[in-house]
């Protein structure tokens, strides 16, 4: 749930100020992943009084004398709070140290981190980079969790290490120093390479992680490795054919070439796209070493003494810089809500052909899916809600029982999953720890595992047998909006593809395919409710609580609408199945509690009309969402507030209906003065259990 970033310039002069800004900007792009503290490490000047960390009155002593002749302890800056507070503190510290920001480096390796606290409160000492000790001989930024850190910590303490933080991460640089010192004491100087140190450290670590190492013993080098968490290498060549647009570019070419270049590591593509489109999604157990402008990759294998060298191809990123910028919008959430006509078009592009659906990532597995005993949707939060919205249509078209599992609950119960099951994992980020653990569990039980994700190269995309990318574009607001609607559309297309062998439903399928083609236009129409939803938000600004009732296709809309309001507007809000109203929730109804009832036209409409009547009879404060033209039939006496939305095919209606709820949550948040894109206590991807 953190963001890691690194920048290495090779054979191209970059001033210290430029390097700092690249690192800060990388962190700004990753801030949505975690934003309670952050830090960076850059090089000091060659060994001189300023190079020894005088900020803490520490001259490095014996430790410093162990550093190579031309090396100086790197400078580490860490700060609590958002990235901008780190930026301010770095510039003021640099000023106090009299560090020359115009100093130019022809090669330099800097690392950076933005944190969402798991082990230890947000504070400078718990922020990353974490250090091996006084002279910052080894520095590490980490995304993920080290599960055996307590055992490692005890061992390192027995060997004389002292710990300063409460993090699980601190064991990593200390372990690196332990491995390095041991090798050097046994075999003398220059015997152990940086990658040997890191592979030995990896051998000791348990858990899920992406790591970047910087070391004073290996100046101008960086090493990145991962197990579980996503990690990307970006390559920007600065010679004539820069970003040549070649489709594939072999990493091999980077193993012996002294051309000027800039190299980046990042937890995701958002921080890379403004620099280069050439990237490599690093795979589990790979150790990527940058040295003398060359990139070498080793594949770590527990069984083997020595890791093997591997060759990988660079991919070309299909993402535009605009995607990671707010443009004319005030917030990413607002931009992403309004982007939905476009994101849905991208989701469907090339997939609807001649009254049929073509999903390349699924076509070889359709037969197996059709023969499954059961389809299980598994996800968390919004992704779970999207699957819930798609469930009735998949049941209808496939005739296969479809069950729902919240990933954490499935794991808690160790619920039964069989070889005859198809398990569909839904995750925008493709990184959510609970979903990935549930995926490992389902793989272990022999189920066919299908992924639905927005993140190419994510762990979910790589670990599932097959799947579909939702292609919604980069989603930066912590509150998922456009990914939700694209997920529903992808799962509707999956249902159409799975059910494509049935003559009996052909007419229904064709109607839905037509409806899909029309959907972006209808979404653009419903977005015109923006002003109306702002007015509604004004009327709700001081309320304590909000209920949302839905059923059928729109039970998911009720859950997702309520989730949006609670996560960003920080207002208590509950989505409820309208069919359950009389079994408890009715007791809450009075003249003050606002209740939104979703009553658009579908098979459940008359039941929702009766819900409205019952709530009305108890003087409920009602807001009804209905199809255009239905206002008088849902609210005969004009006694409730009505939101009229365009009508589309029943199974696609959740895509339309969620949009006023997203707008309401957005405006409520702005009006209540809360942070829209980075809500309290949350981060975009939840990479710990
Ligand atoms: C969405 O608004 C939430 N931030 C959250 O519920 C999210 O959907 C959930 O954490 C799952 O994330 P994923 O889709 O990346 O797996």
């Amino acid at each position: 749930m953190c963001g890691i970033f690194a920048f290495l310039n090779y054979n191209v002069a970059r001033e210290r100020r430029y390097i700092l800004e690249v690192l800060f900007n990388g962190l700004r792009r990753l801030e949505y992943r975690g934003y309670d503290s952050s830090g960076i490490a850059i090089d000091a000047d060659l060994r001189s009084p300023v190079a020894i960390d005088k900020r803490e009155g520490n001259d490095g002593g014996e430790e410093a004398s162990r550093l190579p002749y031309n090396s100086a302890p790197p400078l580490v800056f860490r700060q609590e709070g958002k990235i901008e507070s780190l930026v301010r503190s770095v510039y003021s510290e640099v000023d106090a140290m009299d560090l020359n920001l115009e100093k130019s480096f022809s090669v330099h390796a800097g690392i950076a981190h933005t944190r969402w606290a798991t082990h230890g409160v947000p504070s400078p000492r718990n922020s990353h980079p974490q250090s091996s000790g006084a002279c910052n001989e080894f520095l590490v930024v980490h995304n993920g969790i080290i599960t055996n850190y307590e055992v490692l910590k005890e061992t390192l303490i027995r060997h004389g290490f002292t710990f300063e933080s409460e993090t699980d991460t601190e064991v990593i640089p200390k372990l690196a120093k332990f491995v390095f010192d041991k090798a050097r004491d046994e075999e003398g100087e220059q015997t152990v390479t940086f990658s040997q140190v890191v592979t030995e450290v990896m051998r000791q670590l348990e858990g899920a992680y992406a790591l970047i190492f910087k070391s004073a013993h290996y100046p101008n080098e960086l090493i990145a490795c991962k197990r579980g968490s996503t990690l990307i290498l970006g390559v920007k060549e600065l010679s004539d054919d820069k970003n040549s647009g070649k489709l594939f570019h072999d990493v091999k070419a980077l193993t012996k070439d002294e051309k000027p270049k800039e190299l980046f590591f990042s937890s995701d593509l958002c921080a890379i796209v403004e620099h280069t489109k050439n990237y490599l999604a690093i795979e589990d157990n790979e150790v990527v070493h940058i040295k003398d402008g060359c990139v070498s990759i080793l594949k770590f294998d527990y069984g083997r003494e020595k890791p093997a060298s591997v060759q990988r191809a660079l991919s070309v990123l299909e993402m535009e810089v605009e995607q990671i910028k707010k443009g004319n919008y005030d917030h990413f959430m607002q931009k992403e809500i309004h982007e939905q006509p476009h994101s849905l078009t991208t989701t469907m592009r090339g997939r609807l052909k001649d009254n049929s659906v073509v999903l390349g990532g699924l076509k070889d597995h359709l037969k197996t899916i059709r023969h499954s005993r059961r389809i299980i949707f598994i996800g968390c939060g919004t992704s779970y809600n999207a699957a819930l919205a798609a469930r009735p249509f998949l049941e209808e078209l496939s005739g296969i029982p479809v069950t729902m599992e919240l990933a954490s609950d499935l794991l808690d119960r160790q619920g039964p999953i069989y070889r005859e099951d198809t398990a569909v994992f839904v995750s925008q980020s493709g990184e959510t720890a609970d979903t990935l653990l549930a995926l490992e569990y389902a793989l272990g039980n022999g189920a066919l595992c299908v992924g639905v994700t927005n993140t190419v190269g994510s762990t979910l995309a790589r670990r599932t047998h097959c799947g579909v990318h939702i292609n919604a574009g980069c989603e930066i607001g912590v509150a998922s909006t456009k990914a939700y609607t694209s997920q529903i559309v992808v799962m509707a297309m999956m249902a159409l593809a799975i059910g494509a062998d049935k003559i009996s439903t052909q007419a229904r399928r064709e109607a839905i395919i037509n409806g899909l083609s029309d959907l972006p236009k209808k979404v653009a129409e419903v977005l015109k409710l923006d002003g109306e939803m702002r007015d509604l938000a004004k009327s709700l600004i001081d309320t304590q609580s909000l209920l949302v009732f839905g059923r059928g296709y729109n039970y998911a809309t009720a859950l997702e609408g309520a989730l949006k309001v609670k996560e960003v507007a920080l207002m208590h809000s509950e989505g409820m199945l309208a069919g359950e109203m009389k079994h408890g929730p009715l007791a809450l109804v009075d003249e003050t509690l606002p209740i939104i009832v979703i009553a658009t036209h579908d098979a459940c409409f008359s039941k929702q009309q009766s819900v409205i009547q019952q709530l009305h009879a108890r003087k409920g404060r009602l807001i009804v969402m209905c199809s255009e033209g239905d206002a008088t039939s849902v609210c005969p006496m004009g006694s409730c507030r009505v939101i009229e939305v365009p009508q589309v095919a029943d199974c696609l209606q959740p895509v339309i209906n969620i949009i006023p709820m997203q707008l309401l949550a957005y405006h409520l948040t702005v009006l209540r003065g809360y942070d829209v894109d980075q809500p309290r206590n949350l981060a975009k991807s939840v990479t710990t259990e």
Side-chain angles (χ1 to χ4, degrees):
M1 190 101 119
C2 304
I4 60 180
F5 185 76
F7 169 52
L8 189 148
N9 57 299
Y10 176 74
N11 255 350
V12 52
R14 295 291 183 228
E15 289 174 354
R16 187 177 266 132
R17 187 188 299 279
Y18 178 95
I19 292 165
L20 281 175
E21 282 304 318
V22 172
L23 293 174
F24 291 147
N25 216 36
L27 290 184
R28 288 185 185 109
R29 300 288 177 229
L30 297 175
E31 192 169 25
Y32 75 105
R33 301 173 62 95
Y35 35 85
D36 57 36
S37 46
S38 54
I40 58 163
I42 55 166
D43 285 346
D45 295 324
L46 293 188
R47 199 103 54 103
S48 71
V50 78
I52 310 298
D53 197 349
K54 63 181 185 182
R55 292 168 299 162
E56 289 162 20
N58 169 19
D59 68 1
E62 195 200 328
E63 304 281 325
S65 69
R66 289 169 70 92
L67 293 180
Y69 159 70
N70 60 349
S71 181
L75 298 169
V76 175
F77 302 87
R78 297 182 297 204
Q79 189 55 258
E80 188 184 333
K82 295 209 171 180
I83 307 300
E84 294 318 315
S85 92
L86 173 73
V87 175
R88 279 193 300 276
S89 80
V90 169
Y91 281 119
S92 87
E93 279 195 62
V94 157
D95 207 31
M97 293 160 70
D98 223 4
L99 196 69
N100 181 5
L101 288 181
E102 313 329 312
K103 181 182 162 65
S104 185
F105 296 81
S106 66
V107 50
H108 180 280
I111 57 175
H113 186 272
T114 178
R115 177 168 186 252
W116 189 87
T118 53
H119 293 74
V121 293
S123 68
R125 87 196 143 83
N126 286 332
S127 310
H128 303 199
Q130 284 288 310
S131 170
S132 57
C135 268
N136 296 331
E137 286 170 74
F138 289 89
L139 292 166
V140 170
V141 288
H142 169 210
N143 179 20
I145 189 159
I146 304 300
T147 48
N148 63 336
Y149 82 101
E150 278 161 330
V151 182
L152 293 171
K153 192 168 173 174
E154 272 171 35
T155 313
L156 288 163
I157 289 172
R158 276 205 301 280
H159 283 91
F161 284 86
T162 50
F163 282 76
E164 285 154 26
S165 77
E166 299 151 73
T167 66
D168 53 336
T169 306
E170 196 179 355
V171 296
I172 307 172
K174 291 195 158 58
L175 192 55
K177 176 170 162 50
F178 176 72
V179 170
F180 176 83
D181 287 348
K182 190 160 173 276
R184 193 162 69 169
D185 292 344
E186 284 169 7
E187 294 161 48
E189 292 280 346
Q190 303 301 326
T191 50
V192 62
T193 64
F194 200 1
S195 49
Q196 281 169 331
V197 173
V198 172
T199 44
E200 189 47 41
V201 169
M202 278 182 87
R203 209 177 291 283
Q204 310 288 335
L205 299 180
E206 288 170 16
Y209 54 79
L211 302 170
I212 308 175
F213 291 77
K214 174 177 169 67
S215 170
H217 293 288
Y218 304 96
N220 305 323
E221 297 181 37
L222 284 178
I223 291 204
C225 61
K226 70 167 232 87
R227 194 176 291 149
S229 309
T230 301
L231 192 56
I232 305 289
L233 165 73
V235 180
K236 180 180 185 180
E237 291 175 272
L238 299 164
S239 46
D240 307 340
D241 60 340
K242 60 176 175 179
N243 292 322
S244 59
K246 277 182 221 158
L247 263 187
F248 285 101
H249 203 106
D250 206 322
V251 171
K252 196 175 178 182
L254 296 167
T255 53
K256 40 185 172 315
D257 126 45
E258 304 218 327
K259 287 184 191 154
K261 58 179 79 74
E262 293 181 323
L263 297 140
F264 306 86
F265 287 120
S266 171
S267 343
D268 68 45
L269 292 163
C270 292
I272 300 244
V273 60
E274 62 202 282
H275 299 289
T276 179
K277 293 204 165 185
N278 291 331
Y279 79 99
L280 174 84
I282 301 170
E283 290 192 352
D284 277 357
N285 297 321
E286 285 182 343
V287 179
V288 181
H289 187 180
I290 307 178
K291 181 183 180 184
D292 300 332
C294 303
V295 179
S296 53
I297 305 177
L298 294 174
K299 186 87 181 178
F300 174 83
D301 180 342
Y302 282 97
R304 281 205 195 157
E305 188 64 18
K306 275 195 168 177
S309 166
V310 288
Q311 293 302 329
R312 298 281 312 283
L314 292 181
S315 305
V316 176
L317 180 56
E318 288 178 26
M319 184 195 277
E320 297 308 324
V321 181
E322 288 62 44
Q323 281 192 30
I324 55 160
K325 300 203 167 151
K326 275 188 233 159
N328 294 329
Y329 292 97
D330 294 330
H331 303 98
F332 280 109
M333 182 185 181
Q334 185 190 26
K335 176 183 176 236
E336 285 155 9
I337 293 172
H338 287 273
E339 246 170 27
Q340 289 175 102
H342 175 71
S343 52
L344 289 168
T345 305
T346 327
T347 299
M348 291 185 275
R349 182 164 295 141
R351 289 168 163 173
L352 304 181
K353 281 182 193 148
D354 307 327
N355 274 331
S356 67
V357 168
V358 182
L359 297 173
L362 219 58
K363 66 178 182 346
D364 294 340
H365 294 84
L366 285 174
K367 219 167 157 184
T368 318
I369 299 173
R370 286 177 191 138
H371 288 110
S372 326
R373 193 169 71 167
R374 165 176 77 145
I375 297 173
I376 316 164
F377 274 130
I378 302 168
C380 305
T382 290
S383 293
Y384 173 91
N385 293 342
L388 186 67
R391 176 197 199 179
F393 188 52
L394 180 58
E395 274 177 342
E396 177 194 341
L397 286 201
S398 69
I400 304 168
V402 181
T403 60
M404 300 295 308
E405 291 284 0
L406 283 162
S408 58
D409 186 46
L410 174 71
L411 292 165
D412 290 348
R413 295 179 356 254
Q414 296 285 294
I417 293 196
Y418 303 103
R419 295 178 63 79
E420 300 79 11
D421 290 331
T422 293
V424 181
F425 294 84
V426 189
S427 170
Q428 187 281 134
S429 61
E431 274 191 63
T432 301
D434 287 327
T435 308
L436 293 180
L437 287 168
L439 168 59
E440 291 308 317
Y441 175 69
L443 286 170
N445 286 345
L448 174 72
C449 294
V450 181
V452 175
T453 181
N454 198 24
T455 314
V456 178
S458 61
T459 309
L460 188 95
R462 284 180 289 106
R463 291 290 295 152
T464 41
H465 296 116
C466 56
V468 189
H469 285 115
I470 66 169
N471 300 339
C474 214
E475 190 181 68
I476 293 174
V478 165
S480 186
T481 50
K482 63 177 182 172
Y484 177 73
T485 48
S486 285
Q487 283 169 335
I488 298 176
V489 163
V490 158
M491 287 182 273
M493 290 194 291
M494 277 173 61
L496 290 162
I498 295 167
D501 60 336
K502 292 194 174 57
I503 304 282
S504 57
T505 54
Q506 190 171 341
R508 167 89 162 135
R509 287 199 312 274
E510 286 179 10
I512 304 305
I513 290 172
N514 288 335
L516 281 170
S517 309
D518 241 20
L519 200 56
K521 213 168 67 206
K522 298 283 184 187
V523 168
E525 267 175 50
V526 73
L527 281 166
K528 292 183 190 150
L529 290 175
D530 193 31
E532 207 177 301
M533 297 322 291
R534 189 166 191 280
D535 290 345
L536 177 61
K538 274 188 200 154
S539 73
L540 297 176
I541 189 167
D542 291 324
T543 48
Q544 300 289 314
S545 199
L546 173 72
L547 297 187
V548 190
F549 281 121
R551 72 194 315 149
Y553 286 109
N554 287 293
Y555 173 35
T557 311
L559 295 187
E560 176 59 11
L563 176 61
K564 286 290 88 88
V565 169
K566 79 176 79 145
E567 78 172 323
V568 285
L570 313 188
M571 178 193 280
H572 171 252
S573 175
E574 287 304 317
M576 294 180 181
L577 186 70
E580 282 291 290
M581 185 186 71
K582 285 178 284 187
H583 305 291
L586 200 53
L588 292 172
V589 179
D590 64 15
E591 286 164 23
T592 59
L593 175 71
I595 302 174
I596 300 182
V597 182
I598 319 274
T600 42
H601 226 98
D602 61 18
C604 298
F605 181 61
S606 58
K607 289 185 185 169
Q608 284 303 74
Q609 277 184 308
S610 118
V611 163
I612 293 165
Q613 276 159 18
Q614 291 174 54
L615 290 170
H616 195 61
R618 281 153 190 87
K619 299 195 168 52
R621 186 178 164 190
L622 288 185
I623 302 146
V624 178
M625 186 185 297
C626 66
S627 304
E628 271 164 1
D630 273 355
T632 43
S633 55
V634 293
C635 185
M637 276 76 71
S639 52
C640 50
R641 195 162 184 147
V642 175
I643 308 164
E644 286 185 77
V645 296
Q647 189 173 342
V648 295
D650 52 5
C651 63
L652 304 178
Q653 195 68 45
V655 172
I656 298 294
N657 292 359
I658 195 58
I659 287 170
M661 297 301 300
Q662 294 172 345
L663 290 168
L664 175 66
Y666 170 74
H667 288 301
L668 264 175
T669 311
V670 174
L671 292 167
R672 284 161 68 94
Y674 294 123
D675 191 333
V676 175
D677 288 328
Q678 294 168 352
R680 186 175 69 192
N681 303 337
L682 298 180
K684 186 70 180 163
S685 52
V686 186
T687 54
T688 50
E689 255 183 293

